[in-house]
Amino acid sequence: MTTHRELPEETLDALVEVLDEIRTHPARSRAEIVQARGLSRAVVAQRVQELLDRGLIELGAAGRSTGGRAPRLLRFRRDAGHLLVADLGATSIDVAVADLGGRILAHHEEPADIADGPQAVLGRVAELFHEVLAATPGLTSDLWGIGVGVPGPVEFETRQTVAPPIMPGWDGFPVGDYFAERFDVPVWVDNDVNVMALGELRAGVARGHRTVVFVKIGTGIGAGLVVGGSLHRGAQGSAGDVGHIKVTDDPAVVCRCGKRGCLEALAGGDAIARDGRLAAESGRSPLLAELLDSEGVITAAGVAWAAGRGDPASAELIRRAGALVGEMLSTTVHVLNPSLVVIGGGMSAAGDDLLAAIREVVYGRSLPLATRDLTIQRSALGHRAGVVGAATMVIDGLFSRDRIGRWIARGAPDATT
Amino acid sequence: MTTHRELPEETLDALVEVLDEIRTHPARSRAEIVQARGLSRAVVAQRVQELLDRGLIELGAAGRSTGGRAPRLLRFRRDAGHLLVADLGATSIDVAVADLGGRILAHHEEPADIADGPQAVLGRVAELFHEVLAATPGLTSDLWGIGVGVPGPVEFETRQTVAPPIMPGWDGFPVGDYFAERFDVPVWVDNDVNVMALGELRAGVARGHRTVVFVKIGTGIGAGLVVGGSLHRGAQGSAGDVGHIKVTDDPAVVCRCGKRGCLEALAGGDAIARDGRLAAESGRSPLLAELLDSEGVITAAGVAWAAGRGDPASAELIRRAGALVGEMLSTTVHVLNPSLVVIGGGMSAAGDDLLAAIREVVYGRSLPLATRDLTIQRSALGHRAGVVGAATMVIDGLFSRDRIGRWIARGAPDATT
């Protein structure tokens, strides 16, 4: 474990602390770092010089004087490098270029079908990476890393997809290696809901929360969990797999995972679309019938749109899905006692019916202590949650203690993860 | 935050690392500490001297020579102080004396009724603390801390019980202050299942696991969660409150918490005892009828005993309770993806029927990825899990980074928590 390390732990710890303090603020003086982190002046001075030498920070404007000469403020060089990120959905690809501060510099979105398999989908992502890079104005820095969110379970350490129910052909596919070989930079891959939860934690509504449940309601249903201020992936990376929690004993409800009674089979986007089509064909919803006539298809987004236009049958479908998600969340709230539940994914844009139904069940069903200070709200990042979260994942990885230790030992960032 | 601190963070970090390394091994040389923790030789030498000066460690036997004079090994002085711990159940009190390594030096158990209220119950605990101290042979060290587990929700920071459903009179009672005033040492108080989970994590079957669900099946049902290697208490300390998860839509199932359909109302010890009495009175179980005749009462332990003797009606009650606990655990496993589930509490001693029923449902119901490497087993510490866990809680607190920082600043341990 320590054989290749050339820095004593205490020196590396201090370097990471100093960099974190500067990275997470617009600007910082040496005195502020000493104060905030409790490090000694000498240690801060040495680590700051090291970070200046490596081009990770720069001297900014003069700060406030406390007597003598005003100190120069230190700033993180978010433009010292850039990142490529992709958010793969069941039916879409989002790619973006981000800076080292997680700001999105360019963004492209297009429809796709995850069922086309990894070669086709990842091949298209690689093309889009080149295109979006070419389309980003004024980009002169080096590419430092790649982050990818995929709509199924991922073994985080090996960066492979694992037994994904809606992703035929993806089982065991080395998504991380695929991009590492083509772009020669470190690559991080995670489940899309974990990535989105991370985005909300660092840059969205979950900032400052320690225990958060982020639920994505899209084609499928899944959750990303923040526990103790960090993402919780579980023993096999399948934590938050809430779409396959049993919510009914009805044996007729068969899920695509092969089990019976799963939440996703009743409240996921596919289920809502299916029930919407039935409402259109049976005449229960004239508005959905019109939509089916004109579009030839009923999607979950179409049902949400009709609910927003006052269609009673559609509103009922959305409310029923919300109530079922609420049942699952009530259980999850009893288990984890979060301070915040965030509702994201395509269906979260479905007007207020869904959120109202979820809230009603969770607050009605749970013990007072667990919901006393519980907030349930919509994702702040919306459809950008995936790419913002993927950039966050890469930045967390690049500036992690272990990786910085390896940079220092080798003298430069390296392409292994 | 840093105004009273006299040590720079890097010095305190190193001190905690050195002490942890020595505390968690039978003996350690300075070279082993340098190797294991990646600290520099000079830093280790300074921190070791400080710990020797304060009497927290001592020089032991000579270690293995690597050329020159054989180095003296360093040992933690587990007898430098002692602890008092109590595990309050719904129907029992356990008290014990432990050393600073968590070894139980003396243990006393007696029946009690938590519903007698805090003054009566805690007054008896204080008496028992004095008695068990007097009964511990050869105790010459000082009392360093007290740990208490209570069978209901606790706000960990304030050490108060909160809205406990089975504990009338306990809401908002300052359990921590009660003992701190009487014994003038730091006191830690937590929910009994959290305490037990901590005991299993440090000294039981959960050693080395990062994600663990410890389920206590006793009068009530609750869970202690280990996430990322640490206890997860949740935003209000109510994480793991799984006894009140809804497991049936049957409106006739009313729980003592006031809600309907709770797991505890069907599978807790009180529910099993009630159903066992019905089986005795209806003639479905001749063995339970005999037991009722001779004892005048049917307890959950009585039903478990009858099941172990081959009584079909009792075995069916135990299996049904196990299946319901399994349903809850299947959901919890989907949420958290633990590597280990531990079954503890009074009912866990109920033979193999309960464990078999739990396993059948969890493995049958959950997705393969979540259960691929999942182990479900019985508590190793059994009825001592509470006192061992309470000692662990106190030790974790006494040797935490924050508290050691305060010792160093003041020159001595202090009684505030």
Side-chain angles (χ1 to χ4, degrees):
Chain A
M1 178 188 155
T2 54
T3 41
H4 296 294
R5 190 164 288 141
E6 304 187 5
L7 274 187
E9 296 278 320
E10 65 267 26
T11 308
L12 178 56
D13 285 339
L15 189 74
V16 173
E17 291 249 5
V18 170
L19 180 57
D20 276 354
E21 185 66 23
I22 299 171
R23 271 204 313 124
T24 55
H25 290 87
R28 234 49 192 143
S29 71
R30 289 173 181 78
E32 283 170 332
I33 300 168
V34 167
Q35 177 72 19
R37 300 283 173 154
L39 297 167
S40 61
R41 280 170 186 284
V43 162
V44 169
Q46 286 161 17
R47 299 305 146 239
V48 162
Q49 192 54 53
E50 192 146 9
L51 293 169
L52 283 168
D53 291 347
R54 287 170 189 276
L56 278 171
I57 62 172
E58 63 190 358
L59 292 171
R64 191 189 311 226
S65 166
T66 53
R69 191 158 57 93
R72 294 289 294 279
L73 293 179
L74 302 161
R75 281 200 321 220
F76 177 58
R77 286 194 55 220
R78 55 196 302 162
D79 59 350
H82 62 265
L83 318 172
L84 282 167
V85 291
D87 175 26
L88 311 186
T91 58
S92 63
I93 294 173
D94 280 71
V95 296
V97 177
D99 69 17
L100 298 181
R103 185 162 40 192
I104 301 299
L105 305 176
H107 183 197
H108 171 86
E109 184 181 359
E110 66 179 40
D113 187 350
I114 196 81
D116 288 344
Q119 293 294 348
V121 172
L122 299 184
R124 181 62 187 148
V125 170
E127 277 175 26
L128 289 175
F129 275 168
H130 289 295
E131 287 174 22
V132 76
L133 275 179
T136 308
L139 204 62
T140 55
S141 62
D142 287 338
L143 177 65
W144 278 35
I146 290 177
V148 183
V150 296
V154 171
E155 202 167 66
F156 189 68
E157 296 306 323
T158 62
R159 308 176 303 183
Q160 297 185 0
T161 40
V162 191
I166 62 161
M167 295 165 64
W170 287 81
D171 191 17
F173 194 87
V175 178
D177 292 351
Y178 183 94
F179 289 106
E181 283 161 16
R182 282 161 180 77
F183 291 84
D184 199 28
V185 291
V187 180
W188 285 265
V189 181
D190 204 349
N191 188 271
D192 58 350
V193 284
N194 284 348
V195 163
M196 289 174 180
L198 198 59
E200 295 288 348
L201 181 67
R202 297 268 188 274
V205 291
R207 279 176 95 142
H209 285 267
R210 304 273 305 159
T211 311
V212 181
V213 176
F214 176 94
V215 185
K216 180 193 174 192
I217 313 176
T219 307
I221 296 176
L225 309 178
V226 173
V227 178
S230 307
L231 212 53
H232 171 65
R233 297 190 174 87
Q236 274 78 39
S238 79
D241 198 0
V242 298
H244 303 283
I245 285 176
K246 184 173 150 187
V247 291
T248 177
D249 287 320
D250 183 348
V253 177
V254 178
C255 184
R256 58 186 171 182
C257 77
K259 303 267 176 191
R260 287 166 198 279
C262 295
L263 172 64
E264 195 172 293
L266 284 173
D270 280 354
I272 293 170
R274 179 200 60 213
D275 294 346
R277 190 180 179 103
L278 288 175
E281 291 171 346
S282 69
R284 270 187 296 123
S285 167
L287 190 56
L288 287 180
E290 264 178 54
L291 192 66
L292 183 58
D293 259 359
S294 61
E295 306 274 326
V297 65
I298 296 289
T299 62
V303 177
W305 169 85
R309 296 282 294 262
D311 177 58
S314 297
E316 177 54 26
L317 289 180
I318 298 292
R319 274 198 300 270
R320 205 189 62 190
L324 287 164
V325 171
E327 291 277 347
M328 174 280 287
L329 274 173
S330 166
T331 298
T332 304
V333 163
H334 273 108
V335 173
L336 281 178
N337 184 208
S339 54
L340 176 69
V341 170
V342 184
I343 309 294
M347 290 303 297
S348 69
D352 292 330
D353 286 332
L354 184 77
L355 199 61
I358 291 172
R359 283 184 173 139
E360 186 181 332
V361 173
V362 175
Y363 290 119
R365 174 66 223 162
S366 309
L367 289 182
L369 183 62
T371 52
R372 198 175 61 192
D373 299 314
L374 174 68
T375 305
I376 302 177
Q377 66 184 104
R378 221 180 252 126
S379 161
L381 301 172
H383 73 287
R384 284 161 56 109
V387 289
V388 170
T392 305
M393 169 173 68
V394 177
I395 291 163
D396 277 9
L398 283 172
F399 298 110
S400 70
R401 206 176 160 293
D402 280 359
R403 177 159 289 269
I404 288 179
R406 275 189 283 156
W407 286 13
I408 303 289
R410 296 179 181 222
D414 67 272
T416 56
T417 305
Chain B
M1 178 188 153
T2 54
T3 41
H4 295 294
R5 190 164 287 143
E6 304 186 6
L7 273 187
E9 296 278 320
E10 66 266 24
T11 307
L12 178 56
D13 285 338
L15 189 75
V16 173
E17 292 249 5
V18 170
L19 180 56
D20 276 354
E21 186 65 24
I22 300 170
R23 271 205 312 123
T24 54
H25 291 87
R28 232 51 191 144
S29 71
R30 288 171 181 79
E32 283 169 332
I33 299 169
V34 167
Q35 176 72 19
R37 299 284 174 155
L39 297 166
S40 61
R41 279 168 185 284
V43 163
V44 169
Q46 287 160 17
R47 299 307 144 235
V48 161
Q49 193 54 52
E50 192 146 8
L51 294 169
L52 284 167
D53 291 347
R54 289 169 189 276
L56 279 170
I57 62 173
E58 63 190 359
L59 293 171
R64 189 190 310 226
S65 167
T66 53
R69 192 158 57 96
R72 295 289 294 280
L73 293 178
L74 302 161
R75 282 200 320 221
F76 177 59
R77 287 193 57 223
R78 55 197 298 160
D79 59 350
H82 62 266
L83 318 173
L84 282 166
V85 291
D87 174 28
L88 311 186
T91 58
S92 63
I93 294 173
D94 279 73
V95 296
V97 177
D99 69 16
L100 299 182
R103 186 163 38 194
I104 301 298
L105 305 175
H107 182 197
H108 170 85
E109 183 181 358
E110 65 179 42
D113 187 350
I114 196 81
D116 289 344
Q119 293 294 347
V121 173
L122 299 184
R124 181 62 186 148
V125 171
E127 277 175 27
L128 289 175
F129 274 166
H130 289 296
E131 287 175 21
V132 75
L133 276 179
T136 308
L139 205 61
T140 55
S141 62
D142 287 338
L143 177 65
W144 278 35
I146 289 177
V148 182
V150 297
V154 171
E155 201 166 67
F156 189 70
E157 296 306 321
T158 62
R159 307 177 304 182
Q160 296 185 359
T161 41
V162 190
I166 62 162
M167 295 165 63
W170 287 81
D171 191 18
F173 194 87
V175 178
D177 293 351
Y178 182 94
F179 290 107
E181 282 161 17
R182 282 160 180 79
F183 291 84
D184 198 28
V185 291
V187 180
W188 285 266
V189 181
D190 205 348
N191 188 271
D192 58 350
V193 283
N194 285 347
V195 163
M196 288 174 181
L198 197 59
E200 295 288 348
L201 180 67
R202 298 266 188 276
V205 290
R207 279 177 95 145
H209 284 267
R210 305 273 305 160
T211 311
V212 182
V213 177
F214 177 94
V215 185
K216 180 194 176 193
I217 313 177
T219 306
I221 296 177
L225 309 179
V226 173
V227 178
S230 307
L231 213 53
H232 171 67
R233 296 189 174 85
Q236 272 80 40
S238 79
D241 197 359
V242 297
H244 303 282
I245 286 176
K246 184 172 150 190
V247 291
T248 177
D249 288 320
D250 183 349
V253 177
V254 178
C255 184
R256 58 187 171 181
C257 77
K259 304 266 175 189
R260 286 166 199 279
C262 295
L263 172 65
E264 193 171 295
L266 284 173
D270 280 355
I272 293 170
R274 178 199 61 212
D275 293 345
R277 190 178 180 104
L278 288 174
E281 292 172 346
S282 69
R284 270 186 297 123
S285 167
L287 191 56
L288 286 179
E290 264 179 53
L291 192 67
L292 182 59
D293 258 359
S294 62
E295 307 275 326
V297 65
I298 295 288
T299 62
V303 177
W305 169 85
R309 296 283 295 261
D311 178 57
S314 297
E316 176 56 26
L317 289 179
I318 298 292
R319 273 198 301 269
R320 204 189 61 189
L324 287 164
V325 171
E327 291 277 347
M328 174 280 286
L329 274 174
S330 166
T331 298
T332 304
V333 162
H334 273 110
V335 173
L336 282 178
N337 184 207
S339 54
L340 177 69
V341 169
V342 185
I343 309 295
M347 289 304 296
S348 68
D352 293 329
D353 286 333
L354 184 76
L355 199 60
I358 291 173
R359 285 185 173 139
E360 186 181 331
V361 173
V362 174
Y363 290 120
R365 175 65 223 163
S366 309
L367 290 183
L369 183 61
T371 52
R372 198 174 60 191
D373 300 313
L374 175 68
T375 305
I376 303 177
Q377 66 185 103
R378 224 181 248 123
S379 161
L381 301 171
H383 73 287
R384 284 162 55 111
V387 289
V388 170
T392 305
M393 170 174 68
V394 177
I395 291 163
D396 277 9
L398 284 173
F399 298 111
S400 70
R401 206 177 161 292
D402 281 359
R403 176 159 289 268
I404 288 180
R406 276 189 282 158
W407 286 14
I408 303 289
R410 295 177 184 226
D414 66 273
T416 57
T417 302

